[in-house]
Amino acid sequence: AQKITQTQPGMFVQEKEAVTLDCTYDTSDPSYGLFWYKQPSSGEMIFLIYQGSYDQQNATEGRYSLNFQKARKSANLVISASQLGDSAMYFCAMREGLRGAQKLVFGQGTRLTINP
Amino acid sequence: EAQVTQNPRYLITVTGKKLTVTCSQNMNHEYMSWYRQDPGLGLRQIYYSMNVEVTDKGDVPEGYKVSRKEKRNFPLILESPSPNQTSLYFCASSSSPAVGGYTFGSGTRLTVV
């Protein structure tokens, strides 16, 4: 079974609009971490935001926020006021276990296109 | 600057010709991993290392070898590359426990003909 599911292969959004990228996860471990990465056309993986399973507050980093709904096992990325430079592939990923640093499990990715 | 350095960025090779992709990190991280990225599949882990001389298989280890003789270096070896190993490869490192971001290298785009 997929541990990380990103159901939107592609999304098109107008510049300056907010956008939500969906991510659901599956784990029975009570301790886990959720990550979002951005991959622009140049190919590198850029870390955006992290949410720990025990964190009480939703994570925020500038224009990025993570809408963490633990009971639903969802960790959606919200980008406020989108910019042309946000056009990229976005990956949701999960680390299981507090010390499970050895493995990130990735979703299939969502390709976001920001239209001017 | 804290970084993970991979080389080469691009490589075209022929079937069966042994190659090594190097990976080096300057953050004194214990954990290092190799991933491959294929369209529609996201990133999948090939091998990982929890420290010097400690390595283990990830989800797709067939056809690959690794070694961790020094903490900073974690090379990926393809002894006899085949066309199905054409992919985008990433090296990543992290501290323990891995709260916060894993640091990825810039990627190596490998084509095996």
Side-chain angles (χ1 to χ4, degrees), chain B residues 48-83:
Chain B
Y48 66 92
S49 169
M50 297 173 70
N51 215 322
V52 176
E53 302 291 1
V54 181
T55 63
D56 208 345
K57 297 176 181 178
D59 294 322
V60 287
E62 294 78 20
Y64 304 95
K65 285 176 59 178
V66 293
S67 68
R68 188 95 180 271
K69 292 183 169 48
E70 307 163 280
K71 198 172 187 180
R72 61 184 294 126
N73 295 324
F74 190 44
L76 179 70
I77 302 157
L78 284 72
E79 295 266 0
S80 182
S82 61

Side-chain angles (χ1 to χ4, degrees), chain A residues 14-90:
Chain A
Q14 284 300 119
E15 191 180 7
K16 298 185 183 138
E17 288 183 354
V19 57
T20 297
L21 304 182
D22 295 341
C23 173
T24 58
Y25 61 91
D26 182 28
T27 182
S28 57
D29 197 315
S31 176
Y32 53 89
L34 297 157
F35 302 78
W36 277 93
Y37 282 86
K38 173 183 179 181
Q39 186 179 46
S41 57
S42 51
E44 71 268 29
M45 295 290 285
I46 302 169
F47 166 69
L48 295 178
I49 198 166
Y50 168 80
Q51 179 85 41
S53 59
Y54 295 122
D55 293 344
Q56 296 295 315
Q57 308 257 6
N58 284 352
T60 60
E61 291 284 351
R63 293 186 301 113
Y64 304 108
S65 60
L66 200 151
N67 184 2
F68 182 45
Q69 298 189 39
K70 200 168 182 176
R72 294 186 176 185
K73 293 189 174 179
S74 75
N76 299 340
L77 177 71
V78 180
I79 307 174
S80 63
S82 57
Q83 303 170 355
L84 296 179
D86 293 333
S87 293
M89 194 76 162
Y90 288 80

